[in-house]
């Protein structure tokens, strides 16, 4: 079998790494890929294509059996629809289904209509009405650009001034362009965040292991929001009981609601959830793809053949499959470039020691190869990943490993997994 993965981040390196291990897969192309997929074993190969036409032509020429889309932008631009029109198999939601991620207003209206728990909200394009609403509601309050903004379109405003400034920058200064032409203003929610991702074939849902991301740049959840600075799996707050509750209150009604609205949802459904002290769930957002960096620790624990599962989901046969997990904790710490997230510096040389083993792996994200050197080429550079019987042990391995990886200006959080270790005594190293 020949697979094609679209994207160039850490998530796509992890997808390529996992799919290349399937015994029935002989080749994995990554378009355009990164420095990690460029140097991976010979089954994995980068191809320097991004235009839809070029990708379709390539998939036909190379007889690609299944294409898997990593990031949200090609989904919201209709890549899945385009491949399908050309008679090619592709796993991911259509442009219409991907609106669950590409428009926060669409997602909020959908959740209200189908009784899926979420924060109270209103949507505005009129700047004065937005300012008035914030005055009425008070701070803290959350301002979100309606469209895609690479994880940077959300401002959790702790003061009224921050809220008014966020409204001005989105609706008046247009810092996110069209993506910020409407804003969703919603109630601030307190609690613990969880990423819950499932594979869907339109009918059947196969949930993946739970995980928890760390969105802020700095330790103790300080600093600006980022795409994600680290993650671990499983998330201890997602007990069996909580898992059932999430399926019943969020995932199943989403798939059924889409179907009722005439849209089949096929692809990865990622629900970003907030769970409060009373164990109530509210949905913060939907993504129509796997999370980055959540994919890295999740796939590091997956025992099953991911290619077979995704092919089955594409062919509407998911009900025949289950996902088997290694009984370990895995953790990914993101190393980001100097000045990420505001203006990442590029082209710093990265020194990576050759010490990967079966319990440790470095997934590349913003890296490229040039003259036999690996250079930074984006904001999030590497996802250093480890697994072990306890989260504490996995954390120790990953941070020891990081000490030997060097590039100028590297930033990483020192506390990935700390909250779980502080809050859940039972998962501490024995
Ligand atoms: P989103 O892209 O909607 O998931 O928002 C990005 C991040 O902002 C989330 O992961 C949360 O950390 C935070 N956030 C979003 N909505 C809220 C909310 N209503 N209350 C508190 N924090 C939020
Ligand atoms: N790590 C958050 C996301 O992938 O959206």
């Amino acid at each position: 079998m020949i697979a094609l993965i679209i994207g160039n981040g850490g998530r796509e390196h992890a997808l390529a790494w996992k799919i290349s291990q399937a015994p029935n897969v002989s080749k994995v192309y990554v378009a355009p890929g990164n420095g990690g997929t460029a140097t991976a074993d010979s089954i994995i190969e980068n191809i320097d294509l991004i235009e839809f036409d070029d990708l379709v032509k390539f998939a036909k020429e190379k007889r690609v059996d299944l294409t898997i889309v990593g990031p949200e932008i090609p989904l919201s631009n209709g890549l899945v629809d385009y491949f399908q029109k050309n008679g090619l198999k592709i796993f991911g939601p259509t442009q219409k289904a991907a609106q669950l991620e590409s428009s926060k207003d669409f997602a909020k209206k959908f959740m209200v209509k189908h009784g899926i728990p979420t924060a109270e909200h209103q949507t505005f394009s009129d700047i004065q009405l937005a300012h008035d609403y914030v005055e009425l509601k008070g701070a803290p309050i959350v301002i979100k650009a309606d469209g895609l903004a690479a994880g940077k379109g959300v401002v959790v405003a702790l003061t009224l001034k921050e809220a008014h400034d966020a409204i001005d920058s989105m609706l008046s200064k247009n810092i996110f362009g069209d993506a910020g032409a409407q804003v969703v203003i919603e109630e601030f929610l307190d609690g613990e965040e969880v990423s819950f991702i499932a594979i869907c074939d339109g009918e059947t849902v196969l949930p993946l292991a739970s995980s928890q991301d760390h969105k802020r740049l700095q330790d103790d959840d300080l600093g600006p929001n980022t795409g994600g600075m680290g993650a671990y799996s499983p998330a201890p707050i997602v007990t069996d009981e909580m898992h059932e509750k999430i399926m019943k209150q969020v995932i199943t009604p989403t798939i059924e609601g889409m179907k009722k609205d005439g849209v089949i949802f096929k692809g990865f459904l990622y629900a970003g959830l907030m769970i409060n002290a009373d164990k109530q769930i509210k949905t913060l957002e939907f993504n129509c793809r796997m999370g980055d960096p959540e994919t890295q620790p999740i796939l590091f624990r997956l025992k099953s053949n991911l290619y077979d599962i995704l092919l089955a989901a594409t062919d509407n046969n998911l009900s025949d499959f289950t996902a088997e997990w290694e009984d370990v904790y895995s953790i990914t710490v993101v190393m980001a470039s100097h000045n990420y997230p505001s203006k990442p510096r590029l082209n710093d040389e990265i020194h990576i020691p050759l010490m990967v083993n079966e319990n440790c792996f470095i997934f590349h994200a913003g890296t490229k190869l040039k003259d036999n050197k690996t250079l930074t080429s984006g904001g999030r550079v590497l996802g250093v990943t480890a697994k072990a019987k306890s989260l504490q042990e996995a954390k120790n391995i990953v941070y020891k490993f990081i000490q030997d990886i060097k590039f100028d200006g590297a930033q990483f959080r020192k506390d990935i997994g700390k909250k779980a270790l502080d809050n859940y005594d039972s998962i501490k190293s024995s």
Side-chain angles (χ1 to χ4, degrees):
M1 292 288 171
I2 299 176
L4 166 62
I5 292 167
I6 309 290
N8 65 354
R11 165 186 46 217
E12 288 75 27
H13 189 185
L15 283 165
W17 171 84
K18 184 67 204 167
I19 286 173
S20 71
Q21 289 166 10
N24 51 342
V25 170
S26 56
K27 189 84 195 172
V28 181
Y29 294 107
V30 192
N34 58 34
T37 48
T39 48
D41 64 67
S42 58
I43 290 187
I44 301 176
E45 186 180 328
N46 283 355
I47 55 160
D48 194 15
L49 300 176
I50 32 175
E51 299 301 330
F52 287 11
D53 274 345
D54 295 336
L55 290 167
V56 160
K57 206 164 141 225
F58 179 85
K60 284 185 175 167
E61 255 170 40
K62 297 289 180 184
R63 299 182 179 278
V64 168
D65 295 288
L66 180 66
T67 298
I68 298 139
V69 189
E72 62 276 20
I73 300 226
L75 293 172
S76 77
N77 288 339
L79 182 63
V80 169
D81 312 58
Y82 195 66
F83 264 57
Q84 285 172 347
K85 257 187 231 143
N86 280 278
L88 292 164
K89 276 193 191 183
I90 183 162
F91 182 69
T94 58
Q95 188 172 33
K96 218 167 171 190
Q99 284 179 100
L100 270 184
E101 174 167 6
S102 62
S103 166
K104 290 200 189 280
D105 180 51
F106 175 92
K108 295 296 284 193
K109 286 193 175 119
F110 173 85
M111 287 189 265
V112 171
K113 178 173 175 193
H114 295 286
I116 296 159
T118 188
E120 187 197 312
H121 84 289
Q122 276 200 31
T123 302
F124 297 93
S125 48
D126 182 294
I127 190 162
Q128 192 51 50
L129 294 179
H131 283 303
D132 292 348
Y133 184 74
V134 157
E135 279 300 321
L136 181 75
K137 292 289 172 179
I141 193 156
V142 182
I143 320 292
K144 302 184 173 186
D146 175 48
L148 296 177
K152 291 163 206 148
V154 174
V155 176
V156 178
L158 299 179
T159 62
L160 276 176
K161 177 171 184 323
E162 284 175 76
H164 288 303
D165 287 350
I167 291 170
D168 283 339
S169 56
M170 292 184 205
L171 288 181
S172 157
K173 295 182 198 137
N174 299 324
I175 60 163
F176 298 118
D178 283 351
Q182 283 198 109
V183 294
V184 168
I185 304 187
E186 71 176 32
E187 152 198 24
F188 172 83
L189 299 173
D190 210 2
E192 201 171 322
E193 271 186 75
V194 167
S195 305
F196 195 94
I197 306 173
I199 295 174
C200 313
D201 70 359
E203 199 74 47
T204 304
V205 175
L206 179 63
L208 298 178
S210 62
S211 59
Q212 201 160 48
D213 189 11
H214 296 64
K215 293 249 165 56
R216 302 298 192 100
L217 180 70
Q218 290 152 6
D219 285 5
D220 300 321
D221 291 333
L222 298 173
N225 260 330
T226 68
M229 292 298 289
Y232 57 85
S233 170
I237 192 172
V238 185
T239 55
D240 288 350
E241 197 187 334
M242 181 57 75
H243 179 105
E244 288 310 311
K245 208 162 143 181
I246 294 170
M247 288 297 287
K248 196 163 156 230
Q249 293 186 5
V250 181
I251 305 294
T252 306
T254 301
I255 299 303
E256 284 177 358
M258 289 297 275
K259 216 164 73 182
K260 275 188 206 144
D261 290 350
V263 186
I264 299 295
F265 189 94
K266 191 181 280 199
F268 293 107
L269 178 67
Y270 167 140
L273 306 169
M274 188 73 92
I275 300 175
N276 74 8
D278 296 330
K279 303 276 178 265
Q280 280 177 326
I281 303 164
K282 291 223 169 140
T283 310
L284 293 175
E285 63 161 347
F286 287 118
N287 296 316
C288 296
R289 51 171 175 81
M290 286 202 74
D292 192 342
E294 292 94 322
T295 305
Q296 292 85 312
I298 291 174
L299 294 188
F300 211 51
R301 297 179 53 220
L302 180 64
K303 288 201 279 188
S304 314
N305 181 327
L306 183 63
Y307 180 86
D308 284 351
I309 293 177
L310 297 181
L311 183 66
T314 310
D315 290 339
N316 309 328
N317 286 329
L318 194 54
S319 55
D320 295 340
F321 284 80
T322 53
E324 304 289 326
W325 303 97
E326 253 188 273
D327 187 17
V328 292
Y329 280 90
S330 54
I331 180 166
T332 294
V333 176
V334 169
M335 296 182 80
S337 51
H338 178 67
N339 252 334
Y340 175 73
S342 56
K343 229 177 163 202
R345 189 174 69 200
L346 310 182
N347 296 314
D348 282 309
E349 187 175 352
I350 310 166
H351 300 276
I352 303 176
L354 286 172
M355 33 187 271
V356 179
N357 62 46
E358 66 178 31
N359 293 321
C360 252
F361 198 83
I362 302 172
F363 293 109
H364 287 228
T367 72
K368 66 175 181 196
L369 290 187
K370 199 175 172 206
D371 306 330
N372 284 329
K373 289 178 179 165
T374 305
L375 306 179
T376 61
S377 67
R380 291 185 294 167
V381 177
L382 301 170
V384 186
T385 302
K387 65 184 175 191
K389 277 283 167 207
S390 72
L391 184 58
Q392 181 65 61
E393 214 181 316
K395 188 170 177 233
N396 294 346
I397 297 173
V398 93
Y399 280 108
K400 187 158 180 294
F401 201 25
I402 279 185
Q403 284 174 5
D404 294 315
I405 304 171
K406 308 257 185 265
F407 56 93
D408 263 358
Q411 313 183 63
F412 61 92
R413 279 179 63 155
K414 319 275 181 310
D415 67 343
I416 304 299
K418 178 174 181 296
K419 236 196 273 174
L421 289 165
D422 289 347
N423 294 345
Y424 297 87
D425 284 332
S426 57
I427 64 165
K428 283 188 180 157
S429 180
S430 49

